[in-house]
Amino acid sequence: MQRLNNLFYGWFIVIACFLILFCLHGVIINTFGVFVKPVCESMGWGRDTFSLALGIGALAMAFGAPLVGRMIDLFGAPKTMLVGCLSSGVGMAILSKATNIWHFYFLFIFVGFGLSAATIIPVSVVIANWFNQKRGTAMGAAFMGTSVGGMIMNPVNTLLVQKYGW
């Protein structure tokens, strides 16, 4: 068992997983609603048309899950998470320049796969690999990042959209 100043190193892994879930799942998924009205008004789309992008991203997460599991088996969870983080980050950065609805649909496939590769599945594997005791507590603490990310970033993103636009 690795320890740092009498604290089990696995808890630092939990903090890292919390931050990943906060930044990716909590911000991208949980704050989508903040962007619906301003993007639709700006682009002239219906809310249903735009919201379909999130549904497409969710399907990409679901259908990407078996591939993510295979990637974890082949390359390990940390490398898979890196690919997922990069995919999500690049996808979101490109989304800021999107001009057509099909761009959003295509990029949310990319982002959805990235979320699948960086969040729920690999975080579960990483936590399970570090903890035999207190595994449930560790997973619960890490997965709080999804909700805390949405709770904190919804008002932050709302203020940012109001001040700078989407």
Side-chain angles (χ1 to χ4, degrees):
M1 230 182 328
Q2 294 181 352
R3 296 199 171 271
L4 183 64
N5 291 335
N6 219 16
L7 180 65
F8 176 53
Y9 189 76
W11 293 110
F12 293 101
I13 301 299
V14 169
I15 292 168
C17 289
F18 174 94
L19 292 172
I20 289 167
L21 291 169
F22 178 102
C23 292
L24 292 178
H25 198 278
V27 173
I28 295 171
I29 300 294
N30 290 347
T31 65
F32 184 84
V34 170
F35 296 93
V36 173
K37 185 176 178 183
V39 170
C40 289
E41 287 176 355
S42 170
M43 304 300 255
W45 301 329
R47 292 180 186 191
D48 56 339
T49 301
F50 178 66
S51 296
L52 181 59
L54 185 61
I56 290 169
L59 284 172
M61 287 177 71
F63 286 110
L67 177 60
V68 167
R70 182 76 175 133
M71 288 173 62
I72 291 170
D73 288 341
L74 290 174
F75 308 111
K79 288 180 182 173
T80 302
M81 291 173 82
L82 177 61
V83 168
C85 287
L86 291 172
S87 175
S88 297
V90 168
M92 292 303 289
I94 296 171
L95 267 171
S96 70
K97 303 297 181 195
T99 57
N100 294 310
I101 193 65
W102 71 267
H103 296 157
F104 281 84
Y105 294 162
F106 176 76
L107 289 168
F108 260 87
I109 292 171
F110 200 69
V111 169
F113 174 76
L115 289 171
S116 186
T119 60
I120 307 301
I121 299 167
V123 165
S124 298
V125 171
V126 167
I127 300 290
N129 286 340
W130 273 94
F131 287 85
N132 290 322
Q133 298 175 351
K134 299 185 182 181
R135 184 179 288 162
T137 302
M139 282 200 187
F143 280 97
M144 278 180 21
T146 60
S147 298
V148 173
M151 182 181 72
I152 291 173
M153 292 309 296
N154 265 299
V156 169
N157 280 350
T158 299
L159 289 172
L160 290 171
V161 167
Q162 289 172 348
K163 186 166 182 156
Y164 300 107
W166 68 273

